[in-house]
Every structure is written in structure tokens, then in C-alpha cells.
Amino acid sequence: MARSKKAALLLSEEDKQYLQKICNSRTEQVRRVERATILLHYADGMSSPQIAKRMGISVPNTDTCIKKALQFGVRQALEDFKRSGRPVELTPEARAWIVSLACQKPKELGYSYELWTMSLLAQHVRQHAMAEGHPSAARMAKGTVSRILSSHDLKPHKVSYYVERRDPDFDTKRAQVLHVYQQVEWKIENDNFQMSCDVVVSYDEKPGIQAIGTTSLDLPPVPGEHPTISRDYEYVRHGTVTLMAAIDLVSGEVLGSVVDRHRSREFVDFLKMLDTHYEPDLRIQVVLDNHSAHTSKETRAYLDTVPNRFEFVFTPKHGSWLNVIETFFSKMSRSFLRGIRVASKEELKERIELYLKEINANPIPFRWKYGMESAAK
């Protein structure tokens, strides 16, 4: 029995250039590129099975594209024909209902989830659409849900954080801190300027610095083979330490103490270190947050023993970002603590103390800029 001869697809030079342009395009739809490739291969003499194998697609898809080209023309074969039947249109009321669901938490509707996923929201819509009087949403897909939420700029699967102002005196305390920074700025620009206090330091603690050790030796980089340090992914924990630090806002010098805990006792010891470091006739102004150790009975008792030596300027509640020392801690985390490995807590303490010595060998004042325009008024 003779095989049927396959129908020839004759392409004009214009058609070839058109199909080739689509195949080389980076912006064309994938389906159009795929169909243009099929037609070019078929016109070159390849069979449907050969084309399907080469392109990793099914033979029926290849045959469908070729038949459309033979029957309706090359350009029509690249497009989807309209399907029969009228698609169900989602009513505005159904859209509004879906948006209102997205603005609620799933747990409020009886789910264990805290946040919506597109699949969960689409499932809920399908299950309750008829009962809620929205039959047009009864076959809702998660892709449609995603498009509806995107059109309203809603992302109920994500959380963005904010800080509520719980300090009624936030603006007043913020102004006080900025006023201190303004005086420091004037002092840096003009050494003859007399600040309200002789010394101004920004103080805070950086707790929970992990003493992590390796289980195997780090392997150094090898040119042409290993561009980075190679490290065993397993590690051991030796505990944590706290860095209590103050930065002199005029000189940039950092005074630090590495301790195991940061209670009132340790804070008082740090104040004693400041008292010893500076000349006894100088008044020390300290910008710090509202940690309980900073206002405890033990701290106040010590301050009573050194009257007029210290002046505390507290940042507002939830306003510790106003403290310049946080900038130093951020730099320290990104440059020094990133990837650090030690054999013990003692080694970590020694490394931190050495880091502070290196910083103080060439101290650079941290100059505050944000909000200074209002402070100068």
C-alpha cells in the first residue's frame, strides 16, 4: 500500500522573511515563535514527527499548525482561532466581593492561615461564589484572582511593617536629639563653638553577637579554580556576647566594652569607664534609648554619686533609629561581623576589642543629616 504524499507548503520569500523575523524576535509570544518555527521546518522538508521530536512538542500540535497554514495561510496559522461559546464575564459585584475577601485575613473566615495565598483565595471564591450570589466567579482560577488584585494594587500575601508612635512626646524628644546633633555639627565646623556639654557621646548596646566556630578549616581562594573562601556549612555555637559602645560625636572615637550580659550593673560599669576616660571637670552628654537598665534604681544611685557629671538625652520610644551609634553598629555588622568565625567567646571578645582599636587608630565622626533643617530653625 503506497503512502500518501504529504502536502507541500510553499512559502514566498516575503513569508520566509516574516517567519524568520518572528523566530529571531525577543518580544514575540512564545506560541507564535513556536508556530513560525514549525512552518519553516515543514517548508524545508521535515515531517511532522521529525519537527515534533526536534522541538520537543507533540505531533498533534505540529499537525494542527501545518493544517491551518495549508488551509488558511501562513499568517493565519500563527494566531489562535476564536473558540465557540461565550465566555463567562465576571460581574463588577463579583470583583468587588473578591477584593473585599482579600482585605480580610483568612483566619477571620475560619482558616488556619494568617495570610492569603492565591490558591487559597481562589479556592474560597469557588466554594462560596454561588452562596454569596456571584455565579460568575464559581470557576475562578488563581491567575484571575491575581490579575484582579493586581489591578487594585493589593498584595494580601505580603506584610509590610510600620512603627506606631506610642510616645506622646515623640516630636519633642526628637527635637531634643536633633538639637544635640546640631551643636555637634557646629562644633565640628568651628572648634571655638561652646556646646551645652563638654562631651557628647551616642550610646547603645549590640546584644546577641554570636560566637560561631567552624568544624573544619576554611580553604583559601585559588586563582582560576576557587574564587571564594570555601567553608564547611556545619558550625558550632560557643554562645553570645554583647557590645556596649559609645561613640564620641565630635572626635569619632569609639569606647566599647564586650560583656556576657547587659544589665544595670554592666551599664553602671560602662558609665564608670566613661567617667575615667574623660577629664573630671568635663560634663558628659549621653544620647541613649529607653532601655530599663538606663533608668533603673542602680543606675540612678550611681548618678547621684557623680552629680552634674552626666546628662542623659533619651530618644523617643520606638525612635532608637535616631541614635547615631546604630549607624556604627550597622557598619560593623556589614564589614566586620559578616562571616566571622571564632574558636571561643574569649576569642570573639578579643577580635571585637581589636576592631575597636583599629577604628580608633583613624576615627571618623558620624555626621547626622536627616531632619537637621528643622533642628536649625
Side-chain angles (χ1 to χ4, degrees), residues 105-117 120 123-124:
K105 287 188 174 183
K107 67 177 184 179
E108 297 171 357
L109 301 174
Y111 294 97
S112 61
Y113 288 71
E114 179 74 15
L115 303 176
W116 287 112
T117 65
L120 179 62
Q123 174 187 314
H124 181 87

Side-chain angles (χ1 to χ4, degrees), residues 178-187 193-196:
L178 293 181
H179 179 67
V180 172
Y181 295 160
Q182 184 65 76
Q183 290 196 64
V184 171
E185 194 72 15
W186 289 335
K187 181 66 175 179
F193 176 79
Q194 295 296 320
M195 300 186 297
S196 60

Side-chain angles (χ1 to χ4, degrees), residues 51-179:
I51 296 171
K53 183 177 180 179
R54 180 168 180 173
M55 297 181 61
I57 58 178
S58 66
V59 174
N61 283 350
T62 306
D63 288 337
T64 300
C65 178
I66 295 170
K67 288 178 181 178
K68 286 168 64 177
L70 293 172
Q71 186 174 356
F72 301 104
V74 170
R75 304 202 179 204
Q76 288 76 11
L78 301 179
E79 309 300 334
D80 289 327
F81 289 171
K82 291 185 178 180
R83 299 177 182 273
S84 60
R86 182 180 179 182
V88 177
E89 294 184 1
L90 196 63
T91 64
E93 292 78 13
R95 289 176 178 271
W97 174 60
I98 294 171
V99 170
S100 69
L101 288 174
C103 293
Q104 303 175 57
K105 287 188 174 183
K107 67 177 184 179
E108 297 171 357
L109 301 174
Y111 294 97
S112 61
Y113 288 71
E114 179 74 15
L115 303 176
W116 287 112
T117 65
M118 293 301 107
S119 297
L120 179 62
L121 184 53
Q123 174 187 314
H124 181 87
V125 170
R126 291 194 298 269
Q127 291 177 349
H128 298 85
M130 297 300 293
E132 295 292 335
H134 304 293
S136 62
R139 300 182 64 182
M140 180 63 57
K142 68 177 183 180
T144 307
V145 170
S146 179
R147 286 192 293 273
I148 292 173
L149 299 186
S150 295
S151 66
H152 289 79
D153 195 24
L154 286 175
K155 300 175 182 179
H157 59 292
K158 293 185 176 182
V159 176
S160 59
Y161 292 88
Y162 71 97
V163 176
E164 182 180 348
R165 287 192 177 185
R166 295 184 173 89
D167 192 337
D169 299 322
F170 184 94
D171 292 330
T172 301
K173 294 178 180 178
R174 172 179 174 271
Q176 291 172 346
V177 174
L178 293 181
H179 179 67

Side-chain angles (χ1 to χ4, degrees), residues 268-314:
V268 169
D269 289 340
F270 190 88
L271 293 177
K272 291 178 179 178
M273 182 181 70
L274 289 179
D275 182 54
T276 303
H277 183 77
Y278 290 104
E279 294 294 331
D281 58 337
L282 299 181
R283 185 167 170 80
I284 305 170
Q285 194 172 49
V286 185
V287 178
L288 69 173
D289 62 21
N290 295 272
H291 192 281
S292 59
H294 304 163
T295 57
S296 66
K297 290 182 179 180
E298 191 172 347
T299 299
R300 294 198 303 270
Y302 167 73
L303 293 176
D304 289 340
T305 65
V306 285
N308 299 320
R309 178 61 162 164
F310 293 97
E311 178 184 312
F312 286 178
V313 178
F314 291 101

